[in-house]
Amino acid sequence: MKLLLAGLVAAVLIVPLLMVYALVYDRQEESERAQEQITRGWGGAQTITGPVLVIPFTDEVVEAETVDGVTTQRRRQVQRELFVSPQQQDIATALDPDRKGYAIYESVVYSGTLEGTARYALTSELERLDIDRADLMFDEAELRFGISDTRGLSDGASVSADGNALELSPGNGPLATGGAGFSAAVTGWTGEQPLDVRWSYGLRGTRSLSLVPRGGDTQWRVTSPWPHPSFTGGYLPEPSQTETGEGGFTAVYPGITNLALGQSLLSVADQPASEGEATQPATIGLVEPVDLYSQVDRAVKYGFLFIGFTFAALLMFDIVGGARVASAEYLLNGAGLILFFVMLLAFAEVIGFGLAYLLAAAAIIALLTAYSAAVLGTWRRAAFIGAMLAGLYAVLYVLLNEETYSLVIGSLLLFAALAGVMYATRNVDWSAVGRNGDEAAA
C-alpha cells in the first residue's frame, strides 16, 4: 500500500513538472522576442551574395491572337535581362563580435567588413541561349549585391569596375536575398574584354552570417576573435585551413564551383535561393558556449530521476528502517525537487547557468535535508538523503555538460539505484506485506 501511494504521489507530480517544462519554453520565447528588440535597427542574421552582373537585352516574342475564330501571330520586341555570374570571385570577411543587452537578456551581434574581387566575361553560353551580342544593352548593365537585411549596411561601401569607381543605388538585389541589397551601374564596358570588379562594404548583423555561393569558382575567407563558431549549411570550410581556439577562428571555403552548384554562368533568369542541398548557403554562426534554456530544458527531463531516487530512499527508510512517511510528506519532498528547476531557470537568467545551478542545488539540498530530519526522526538518516541529493545534482551537472556519454552515465546511475534498492530490501519478506501478525506467524 505504501508503494502504491508513493507511486500515486509521483504520478501527481507529473502536472507541476510539465508546467515547469512549459515555463522554460515560455521564457525561451520571451528571450527570442527580447533579442528581436536588440536586433531592431542593428541588423538580423545576414545572408549575402557576391555581385551579379545584369545586362538588359531586346528579344523578339511571338504571340498568338484569336479574333472571330481566326488565329493570327504577331511579333513584338520585349526587354529581358541576362544574368552573368563571375568566373571567379574571392571574398574576405572580418567579423568583430559584441554583446548587446535588453533587460536581463543578451544577444551576440557583430560588425563586419567585407571586401572582394570578381571577374566577368561573356562565354560561348551566349550562343546556347540564342542571344545576339548586338542585342545586349551594355550601357544599362549593373552589378547587383545581395544583403538580406540592409539595415545592417554601414558607411564606406565602394565598388569599382576596371579601376573606375561606380555610383551605388539602394535596392534591386538578387532573388537569393529576397531582392534586398544594392546595385551599381556599370559604365564604359562593351563586353569585348573581361570585367574586373573590386568591392567592399561594412555590415552589421546578429548571430550568423551566410553566403550564397555563385559563380565558376567562389573562395571565401572569414576571420573573427569569437571562440565558439558553428559551421553549417550546404558547404563547410576546408578542415586543413580552418583554425578555432580561444583567440578566435579562421575559416576558409576554397573553390565552390558552378559545377557543384549546378548553375550556368549565364542565365536569362535570376537564381533564387534553392532548397537543394548543393545550393544552400554556407553559414557561420557566432553561438553561445552555453545556451541556458537548452540546459534547463535538459535538466527538467531528468526531473523524474530525482523524484524516483528520493522516493525510493524514503520508501526504504519507511519499509526497512521503520520510519513512518506519510503521503503528504512524499508530496512535499517532490514539490521541493520540482522547485529546484524553477529556481535554476530564474537564477540562470540573471547570474548564469553554473552559479545558478550551485545556488539552487544548495538551497534545495539544505531544505530537504532539514525536512527529512523531522520526517525520518534522526539527522543520520537525513544526512543520507542530503548526501544522495548532492550526488544526484553533481551527476546531473556532468550529464548536462556531457553530450557523448550522457546516456551511458544515466544508465549506470539507474543500475546503481536498482542495485541499492535490491540490497536494502534483500531481507524484506514481501509475501508478508499486508498480512497481520497471526497470518504471518501461521
Side-chain angles (χ1 to χ4, degrees), residues 110-147:
Y110 60 82
S111 299
T113 56
L114 297 93
E115 57 183 20
T117 60
R119 166 167 285 200
Y120 302 85
L122 297 179
T123 65
S124 58
E125 292 186 52
L126 199 63
E127 299 177 1
R128 179 181 59 81
L129 295 174
D130 195 24
I131 299 176
D132 191 340
R133 185 184 291 261
D135 294 330
L136 295 175
M137 304 176 183
F138 292 103
D139 57 337
E140 297 183 21
E142 66 177 9
L143 291 164
R144 295 179 181 176
F145 295 77
I147 299 172

Side-chain angles (χ1 to χ4, degrees), residues 50-81:
V52 179
L53 179 62
V54 182
I55 309 173
F57 67 95
T58 56
D59 191 17
E60 187 178 74
V61 296
V62 178
E63 297 178 338
E65 183 178 3
T66 302
V67 179
D68 296 332
V70 178
T71 301
T72 59
Q73 293 183 336
R74 60 174 185 152
R75 300 176 181 272
R76 67 184 184 91
Q77 298 289 323
V78 296
Q79 182 172 306
R80 302 175 65 187
E81 292 179 330

Side-chain angles (χ1 to χ4, degrees), residues 21 24 291-304 306 341 344 353 395-407:
Y21 191 82
V24 175
D291 182 355
L292 69 90
Y293 294 105
S294 64
Q295 295 284 77
V296 175
D297 178 82
R298 289 184 62 198
V300 173
K301 293 176 181 177
Y302 288 99
F304 277 105
F306 282 75
F341 301 107
L344 175 62
F353 183 82
V395 171
L396 177 61
Y397 190 80
V398 173
L399 289 175
L400 295 177
N401 290 277
E402 176 60 60
E403 295 287 346
T404 306
Y405 300 106
S406 60
L407 182 58

Side-chain angles (χ1 to χ4, degrees), residues 13 18 31 35 85 108 118 122 220 233 266 277 303 395:
L13 292 173
L18 291 177
S31 174
Q35 290 172 4
S85 298
V108 179
L122 297 179
W220 188 29
L266 272 62
E277 181 66 22
V395 171

Side-chain angles (χ1 to χ4, degrees), residues 246-264:
E246 291 300 321
F249 72 90
T250 298
V252 178
Y253 294 77
I256 304 175
T257 67
N258 66 313
L259 297 180
L261 295 171
Q263 300 174 353
S264 300

Side-chain angles (χ1 to χ4, degrees), residues 181-195:
F182 65 91
S183 60
V186 178
T187 58
W189 186 59
T190 62
E192 298 296 332
Q193 300 294 330
L195 179 67

